[in-house]
Amino acid sequence: MKNDFRLQYPLWMMGFIVVLGMFAYGISSPVTEIVNTDTEQSIMIELEPVAGFIVVGTVVLYVAMLATFIFQLLRHNRKNPTQKVSPFSIRPLEYLEQDEGMTYITRKASQKVYTFMSWSLPLLAVFAMVTPLPRLFIVWGILLVALIQYVIYYVEIRKHFKEEVE
Amino acid sequence: MLKNRVKELRARYGLTQSDLGKQVDVTRQTIAFIEKGEFSPSITLALKLAKSLQTNVNELFWLEEDGNEK
Protein backbone atom coordinates (compact mmCIF):
# COMPACT_ATOMS: atom_id res chain seq x y z
CA MET A 1 0.00 0.00 0.00
CA LYS A 2 2.85 2.35 0.80
CA ASN A 3 3.96 2.08 -2.82
CA ASP A 4 0.44 2.62 -4.13
CA PHE A 5 0.52 5.00 -7.08
CA ARG A 6 -2.33 7.02 -5.55
CA LEU A 7 -0.20 7.65 -2.44
CA GLN A 8 2.68 8.81 -4.60
CA TYR A 9 0.49 10.94 -6.84
CA PRO A 10 0.80 14.14 -4.71
CA LEU A 11 4.60 13.80 -4.91
CA TRP A 12 4.36 13.66 -8.69
CA MET A 13 2.18 16.76 -8.73
CA MET A 14 4.64 18.58 -6.46
CA GLY A 15 7.42 17.70 -8.88
CA PHE A 16 5.43 18.91 -11.88
CA ILE A 17 4.60 22.17 -10.08
CA VAL A 18 8.26 22.85 -9.25
CA VAL A 19 9.26 22.22 -12.88
CA LEU A 20 6.41 24.46 -14.06
CA GLY A 21 7.64 27.22 -11.72
CA MET A 22 11.13 26.95 -13.21
CA PHE A 23 9.66 26.99 -16.71
CA ALA A 24 7.64 30.12 -15.82
CA TYR A 25 10.86 31.82 -14.76
CA GLY A 26 12.53 30.84 -18.03
CA ILE A 27 9.80 32.16 -20.29
CA SER A 28 9.14 35.33 -18.32
CA SER A 29 12.58 36.77 -18.84
CA PRO A 30 12.99 36.94 -22.63
CA VAL A 31 13.87 40.17 -24.40
CA THR A 32 10.95 41.03 -26.66
CA GLU A 33 11.21 43.49 -29.52
CA ILE A 34 8.15 44.46 -31.54
CA VAL A 35 8.66 46.39 -34.78
CA ASN A 36 5.56 47.85 -36.39
CA THR A 37 6.29 50.42 -39.09
CA ASP A 38 4.94 51.12 -42.57
CA THR A 39 7.61 48.94 -44.10
CA GLU A 40 8.21 46.31 -41.48
CA GLN A 41 6.21 44.28 -39.00
CA SER A 42 8.07 41.81 -36.84
CA ILE A 43 8.17 40.35 -33.38
CA MET A 44 11.46 39.14 -32.03
CA ILE A 45 11.70 37.13 -28.84
CA GLU A 46 15.20 36.52 -27.65
CA LEU A 47 15.92 34.26 -24.74
CA GLU A 48 18.96 35.04 -22.64
CA PRO A 49 21.40 32.09 -22.51
CA VAL A 50 20.51 31.15 -18.94
CA ALA A 51 16.77 31.63 -19.46
CA GLY A 52 16.99 29.66 -22.70
CA PHE A 53 18.78 26.84 -20.92
CA ILE A 54 16.12 26.83 -18.17
CA VAL A 55 13.27 26.74 -20.71
CA VAL A 56 14.77 23.91 -22.75
CA GLY A 57 15.93 22.06 -19.62
CA THR A 58 12.55 22.24 -17.90
CA VAL A 59 10.71 21.14 -21.06
CA VAL A 60 13.01 18.11 -21.37
CA LEU A 61 12.64 17.38 -17.66
CA TYR A 62 8.85 17.79 -17.84
CA VAL A 63 8.55 15.38 -20.79
CA ALA A 64 10.80 12.83 -19.03
CA MET A 65 8.75 13.11 -15.83
CA LEU A 66 5.51 12.84 -17.79
CA ALA A 67 6.72 9.66 -19.52
CA THR A 68 7.71 8.12 -16.17
CA PHE A 69 4.42 9.23 -14.64
CA ILE A 70 2.39 7.59 -17.43
CA PHE A 71 4.50 4.43 -17.10
CA GLN A 72 3.82 4.28 -13.34
CA LEU A 73 0.12 4.93 -13.87
CA LEU A 74 -0.17 2.15 -16.44
CA ARG A 75 1.76 -0.21 -14.15
CA HIS A 76 -0.61 0.61 -11.29
CA ASN A 77 -3.62 -0.12 -13.50
CA ARG A 78 -2.08 -3.40 -14.63
CA LYS A 79 -1.37 -4.49 -11.04
CA ASN A 80 -4.69 -3.23 -9.66
CA PRO A 81 -7.35 -4.01 -12.26
CA THR A 82 -10.13 -3.36 -9.75
CA GLN A 83 -8.76 0.02 -8.71
CA LYS A 84 -7.78 1.57 -12.00
CA VAL A 85 -7.09 5.29 -12.19
CA SER A 86 -7.55 7.44 -15.25
CA PRO A 87 -5.44 10.53 -15.98
CA PHE A 88 -8.53 12.07 -17.60
CA SER A 89 -10.72 11.64 -14.52
CA ILE A 90 -12.25 14.80 -13.04
CA ARG A 91 -11.94 13.32 -9.56
CA PRO A 92 -8.45 13.72 -8.09
CA LEU A 93 -6.40 10.57 -8.66
CA GLU A 94 -5.02 10.61 -5.12
CA TYR A 95 -8.39 9.77 -3.56
CA LEU A 96 -8.33 6.43 -1.74
CA GLU A 97 -11.88 5.13 -1.60
CA GLN A 98 -11.76 1.36 -1.79
CA ASP A 99 -13.42 0.98 1.63
CA GLU A 100 -14.77 3.08 4.48
CA GLY A 101 -11.43 3.34 6.29
CA MET A 102 -9.70 4.70 3.20
CA THR A 103 -12.62 7.04 2.51
CA TYR A 104 -12.31 8.33 6.06
CA ILE A 105 -8.63 9.28 5.79
CA THR A 106 -9.19 10.75 2.32
CA ARG A 107 -11.98 12.91 3.75
CA LYS A 108 -9.78 14.05 6.64
CA ALA A 109 -6.94 15.00 4.29
CA SER A 110 -9.34 16.73 1.88
CA GLN A 111 -10.85 18.75 4.72
CA LYS A 112 -7.41 20.04 5.69
CA VAL A 113 -6.70 20.98 2.07
CA TYR A 114 -10.08 22.71 1.77
CA THR A 115 -9.39 24.68 4.94
CA PHE A 116 -6.09 25.83 3.50
CA MET A 117 -7.58 26.72 0.12
CA SER A 118 -10.49 28.63 1.65
CA TRP A 119 -8.18 31.30 3.03
CA SER A 120 -5.08 31.05 0.85
CA LEU A 121 -6.77 31.76 -2.49
CA PRO A 122 -8.61 34.93 -1.33
CA LEU A 123 -5.41 36.06 0.39
CA LEU A 124 -3.44 35.50 -2.81
CA ALA A 125 -6.06 37.39 -4.84
CA VAL A 126 -5.91 40.38 -2.47
CA PHE A 127 -2.13 40.26 -2.46
CA ALA A 128 -2.06 40.27 -6.26
CA MET A 129 -4.46 43.24 -6.40
CA VAL A 130 -2.79 45.51 -3.88
CA THR A 131 0.86 44.87 -4.64
CA PRO A 132 2.51 45.86 -7.91
CA LEU A 133 4.13 42.47 -8.37
CA PRO A 134 5.38 41.23 -11.74
CA ARG A 135 3.25 38.56 -13.39
CA LEU A 136 5.88 35.91 -12.62
CA PHE A 137 5.38 36.39 -8.89
CA ILE A 138 1.61 35.98 -9.26
CA VAL A 139 2.19 32.74 -11.18
CA TRP A 140 4.62 31.56 -8.51
CA GLY A 141 2.07 32.45 -5.83
CA ILE A 142 -0.57 30.29 -7.52
CA LEU A 143 1.92 27.44 -7.95
CA LEU A 144 2.96 27.77 -4.31
CA VAL A 145 -0.66 27.40 -3.17
CA ALA A 146 -1.02 24.36 -5.42
CA LEU A 147 2.22 22.91 -4.04
CA ILE A 148 1.21 23.44 -0.42
CA GLN A 149 -2.19 21.80 -0.94
CA TYR A 150 -0.42 18.62 -2.12
CA VAL A 151 2.03 18.80 0.80
CA ILE A 152 -0.89 19.04 3.26
CA TYR A 153 -2.72 16.15 1.61
CA TYR A 154 0.39 13.96 1.40
CA VAL A 155 1.51 14.57 5.00
CA GLU A 156 -1.98 13.79 6.33
CA ILE A 157 -2.30 10.55 4.37
CA ARG A 158 1.25 9.43 5.20
CA LYS A 159 0.57 10.02 8.89
CA HIS A 160 -2.03 7.26 8.83
CA PHE A 161 0.23 4.80 7.05
CA LYS A 162 3.25 5.49 9.24
CA GLU A 163 2.79 2.80 11.86
CA GLU A 164 1.54 -0.14 9.92
CA VAL A 165 1.81 -3.35 11.86
CA GLU A 166 0.52 -6.75 10.88
CA MET B 1 -13.94 7.37 22.82
CA LEU B 2 -14.64 4.12 21.04
CA LYS B 3 -12.50 1.25 22.29
CA ASN B 4 -12.27 -2.22 20.80
CA ARG B 5 -10.85 -5.71 21.22
CA VAL B 6 -10.29 -6.37 17.51
CA LYS B 7 -6.54 -6.87 17.87
CA GLU B 8 -6.92 -9.16 20.87
CA LEU B 9 -9.56 -11.38 19.26
CA ARG B 10 -7.79 -11.39 15.92
CA ALA B 11 -4.65 -12.67 17.66
CA ARG B 12 -6.71 -15.28 19.50
CA TYR B 13 -7.91 -16.74 16.22
CA GLY B 14 -4.47 -16.45 14.63
CA LEU B 15 -5.62 -14.04 11.96
CA THR B 16 -3.47 -11.39 10.34
CA GLN B 17 -4.91 -7.96 9.56
CA SER B 18 -4.98 -9.00 5.91
CA ASP B 19 -6.89 -12.21 6.72
CA LEU B 20 -9.49 -10.34 8.74
CA GLY B 21 -9.68 -7.61 6.12
CA LYS B 22 -10.43 -10.19 3.42
CA GLN B 23 -13.13 -11.77 5.57
CA VAL B 24 -14.96 -8.49 6.05
CA ASP B 25 -14.08 -7.06 2.64
CA VAL B 26 -11.87 -4.13 3.67
CA THR B 27 -8.17 -3.35 3.32
CA ARG B 28 -5.56 -4.32 5.87
CA GLN B 29 -5.03 -0.63 6.57
CA THR B 30 -8.64 -0.17 7.61
CA ILE B 31 -8.29 -3.01 10.14
CA ALA B 32 -5.13 -1.30 11.41
CA PHE B 33 -6.94 2.06 11.73
CA ILE B 34 -9.75 0.41 13.71
CA GLU B 35 -7.31 -1.38 16.02
CA LYS B 36 -5.43 1.85 16.69
CA GLY B 37 -8.71 3.64 17.39
CA GLU B 38 -8.14 6.11 14.55
CA PHE B 39 -11.35 5.19 12.84
CA SER B 40 -14.78 4.15 14.10
CA PRO B 41 -16.31 1.60 11.73
CA SER B 42 -19.86 1.75 10.44
CA ILE B 43 -22.50 -0.47 12.05
CA THR B 44 -22.33 -2.77 9.04
CA LEU B 45 -18.59 -3.23 9.34
CA ALA B 46 -18.79 -3.61 13.12
CA LEU B 47 -21.34 -6.40 12.67
CA LYS B 48 -19.17 -8.11 10.06
CA LEU B 49 -16.13 -7.89 12.34
CA ALA B 50 -18.08 -9.29 15.28
CA LYS B 51 -19.28 -12.19 13.14
CA SER B 52 -15.78 -12.93 11.86
CA LEU B 53 -14.34 -12.82 15.37
CA GLN B 54 -17.20 -14.97 16.70
CA THR B 55 -18.45 -12.45 19.21
CA ASN B 56 -21.07 -9.71 19.39
CA VAL B 57 -20.69 -6.01 18.76
CA ASN B 58 -21.06 -5.12 22.46
CA GLU B 59 -18.13 -7.34 23.35
CA LEU B 60 -16.04 -6.04 20.48
CA PHE B 61 -16.67 -2.30 20.78
CA TRP B 62 -17.52 -0.10 23.73
CA LEU B 63 -17.44 3.55 24.70
CA GLU B 64 -14.89 4.66 27.23
CA GLU B 65 -15.73 7.85 29.09
CA ASP B 66 -13.60 9.73 31.62
CA GLY B 67 -11.41 6.82 32.52
CA ASN B 68 -14.26 4.33 32.99
CA GLU B 69 -12.99 1.18 31.38
CA LYS B 70 -14.99 -1.89 30.59
Side-chain angles (χ1 to χ4, degrees):
Chain A
M1 189 78 197
K2 276 182 176 173
N3 296 321
D4 192 308
F5 176 76
R6 291 166 300 174
L7 278 182
Q8 296 168 355
Y9 181 81
L11 293 177
W12 279 102
M13 290 302 108
M14 286 182 231
F16 282 124
I17 288 167
V18 170
V19 174
L20 204 59
M22 289 160 64
F23 179 75
Y25 172 77
I27 60 163
S28 65
S29 54
V31 177
T32 307
E33 186 183 5
I34 301 171
V35 178
N36 188 12
T37 63
D38 291 341
T39 55
E40 185 185 357
Q41 287 88 34
S42 68
I43 298 173
M44 188 186 75
I45 299 172
E46 186 186 332
L47 287 171
E48 297 290 332
V50 174
F53 177 77
I54 290 173
V55 169
V56 174
T58 51
V59 168
V60 170
L61 183 61
Y62 197 91
V63 170
M65 282 174 68
L66 192 64
T68 315
F69 173 80
I70 291 169
F71 173 78
Q72 294 283 352
L73 188 145
L74 293 174
R75 198 172 71 163
H76 167 87
N77 285 347
R78 210 171 39 245
K79 282 185 175 177
N80 304 279
T82 57
Q83 292 165 38
K84 283 186 177 179
V85 289
S86 165
F88 306 109
S89 169
I90 293 173
R91 289 177 70 75
L93 300 191
E94 63 269 32
Y95 280 4
L96 301 164
E97 296 178 307
Q98 59 266 53
D99 63 37
E100 58 185 75
M102 295 293 123
T103 304
Y104 170 75
I105 62 162
T106 297
R107 194 184 71 203
K108 270 186 79 176
S110 302
Q111 280 176 336
K112 287 197 172 178
V113 170
Y114 185 82
T115 304
F116 167 71
M117 295 301 269
S118 66
W119 61 261
S120 64
L121 283 180
L123 195 70
L124 182 66
V126 170
F127 200 66
M129 279 188 284
V130 299
T131 54
L133 286 173
R135 199 172 62 169
L136 176 63
F137 284 77
I138 307 296
V139 171
W140 276 353
I142 294 167
L143 291 176
L144 184 66
V145 168
L147 184 79
I148 293 173
Q149 71 157 350
Y150 282 114
V151 171
I152 292 170
Y153 187 90
Y154 183 73
V155 168
E156 180 63 25
I157 294 288
R158 288 298 295 188
K159 198 172 77 185
H160 291 282
F161 286 94
K162 221 172 176 180
E163 299 164 10
E164 281 189 10
V165 282
E166 183 77 22
Chain B
M1 187 183 177
L2 190 68
K3 294 282 187 178
N4 70 78
R5 293 171 61 209
V6 174
K7 191 173 184 178
E8 177 196 329
L9 292 177
R10 177 173 64 76
R12 183 185 293 175
Y13 294 110
L15 295 168
T16 64
Q17 290 175 338
S18 300
D19 294 334
L20 184 58
K22 278 177 193 158
Q23 286 183 17
V24 297
D25 202 25
V26 296
T27 56
R28 180 170 76 82
Q29 286 73 26
T30 293
I31 300 296
F33 296 155
I34 293 169
E35 288 182 356
K36 284 189 279 181
E38 285 183 23
F39 164 65
S40 301
S42 66
I43 294 171
T44 308
L45 182 53
L47 286 165
K48 283 182 182 177
L49 286 167
K51 190 179 176 188
S52 278
L53 297 170
Q54 298 171 38
T55 185
N56 59 58
V57 175
N58 285 341
E59 289 296 319
L60 196 56
F61 296 97
W62 69 94
L63 282 172
E64 187 180 279
E65 295 168 30
D66 301 322
N68 296 329
E69 291 188 25
K70 185 173 180 177

